[in-house]
């Protein structure tokens, strides 16, 4: 439909759109005084039917409605970093994002879905093992701290010296641990 200015007042059905995004925000009847036009941010062009995750946006230059993707408020995931982001603008999803969340830290996007990456998993398990070793070394050194001082002062008992020796053997074994056989959760434990 194309609006025509008239010498008399008229009431027409208009479709209102947002001044910033131009998306359809409502519809209703509008009173148009004589020799005036349609109110700002409105049109008498009927918008198209829209489906899920779409919105009608009015192109003022072409005087037509466009159907634009609308994912605002939805969470998407960067396929490289796995970081979640919330969409705040109209339009298609940003490049290199998906609405499918990764299932774990060791997933990799293959272009269609998240798949477990054996190299990432192995590196993650090795990091986990190294952190466990560091914690165990710190715990062992904490247990031996007083005995070391007593040893330096020459006041350590034979029983405590024996315990200190056992802890030292334990620390040496921790430091010699080889992570090459770790490839997944089962081989870590």
């Amino acid at each position: 439909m194309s609006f025509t200015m008239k010498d008399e007042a008229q009431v027409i059905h208009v479709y209102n759109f947002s001044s910033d995004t131009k998306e359809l925000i409502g519809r209703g009847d509008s009173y148009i005084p004589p020799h005036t036009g349609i109110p700002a941010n409105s049109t008498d062009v009927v918008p198209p039917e829209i489906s899920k995750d779409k919105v009608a946006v009015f192109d003022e230059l072409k005087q037509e409605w466009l159907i634009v993707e609308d994912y605002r408020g939805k969470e998407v995931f960067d396929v490289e970093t796995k970081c979640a982001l919330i969409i705040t603008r109209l339009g298609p999803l940003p490049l290199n994002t998906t609405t499918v969340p990764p299932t774990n830290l060791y997933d990799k996007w293959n272009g269609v879905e998240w798949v477990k990456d054996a190299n990432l998993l192995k590196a993650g398990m090795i990091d986990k093992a190294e952190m466990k070793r560091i914690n165990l070394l710190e715990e062992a050194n904490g247990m031996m701290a007083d005995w070391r001082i007593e040893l330096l002062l020459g006041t350590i008992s034979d029983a405590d010296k024996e315990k200190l020796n056992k802890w030292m053997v334990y620390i040496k074994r921790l430091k010699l641990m080889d992570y090459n056989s770790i490839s997944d959760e089962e081989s870590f434990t």
Side-chain angles (χ1 to χ4, degrees):
M1 181 184 268
S2 177
F3 176 77
T4 306
M5 201 178 299
K6 295 189 176 178
D7 292 335
E8 64 229 25
Q10 53 186 322
V11 175
I12 65 167
H13 198 69
V14 295
Y15 303 91
N16 308 101
F17 51 88
S18 167
S19 63
D20 58 345
T21 64
K22 308 298 181 199
E23 68 188 291
L24 178 67
I25 57 173
R27 51 190 94 205
D29 292 329
S30 182
Y31 173 79
I32 312 291
H35 307 288
T36 61
I38 294 177
N41 301 316
S42 338
T43 181
D44 62 345
V45 177
V46 178
E49 291 294 320
I50 56 170
S51 59
K52 183 180 183 221
D53 296 328
K54 306 279 189 216
V55 66
V57 173
F58 194 67
D59 183 328
E60 292 180 282
L61 292 176
K62 294 180 181 178
Q63 289 294 297
E64 66 183 15
W65 290 99
L66 307 172
I67 296 176
V68 176
E69 293 175 79
D70 183 10
Y71 298 102
R72 291 174 296 180
K74 301 224 186 251
E75 184 176 54
V76 296
F77 301 88
D78 185 297
V79 297
E80 295 295 323
T81 66
K82 301 178 197 87
C83 292
L85 9 136
I86 302 296
I87 302 297
T88 59
R89 295 187 177 157
L90 288 173
L93 293 176
L95 290 176
N96 299 318
T97 62
T98 178
T99 56
V100 179
T103 57
N104 62 59
L105 294 173
Y106 312 112
D107 278 353
K108 185 175 184 178
W109 185 253
N110 70 1
V112 178
E113 64 184 347
W114 294 103
V115 293
K116 191 177 282 185
D117 182 314
N119 292 331
L120 282 176
L121 178 59
K122 181 174 180 145
M125 291 298 103
I126 289 172
D127 287 346
K128 189 174 178 180
E130 183 58 27
M131 289 305 298
K132 185 167 185 164
R133 174 177 28 202
I134 289 168
N135 289 335
L136 291 171
L137 286 169
E138 287 175 357
E139 184 181 313
N141 281 314
M143 291 291 295
M144 298 185 317
D146 289 342
W147 295 329
R148 286 178 175 161
I149 293 170
E150 290 175 8
L151 182 65
L152 287 172
L153 295 173
T155 60
I156 191 168
S157 69
D158 288 340
D160 285 345
K161 190 184 280 188
E162 184 62 31
K163 290 177 189 173
L164 178 61
N165 282 332
K166 287 181 181 178
W167 277 102
M168 290 304 296
V169 168
Y170 173 72
I171 285 176
K172 284 180 186 176
R173 286 184 180 157
L174 280 176
K175 289 180 177 180
L176 292 174
M177 284 177 67
D178 180 15
Y179 300 142
N180 288 326
S181 63
I182 295 176
S183 60
D184 55 22
E185 286 281 349
E186 287 84 36
S187 62
F188 171 76
T189 52

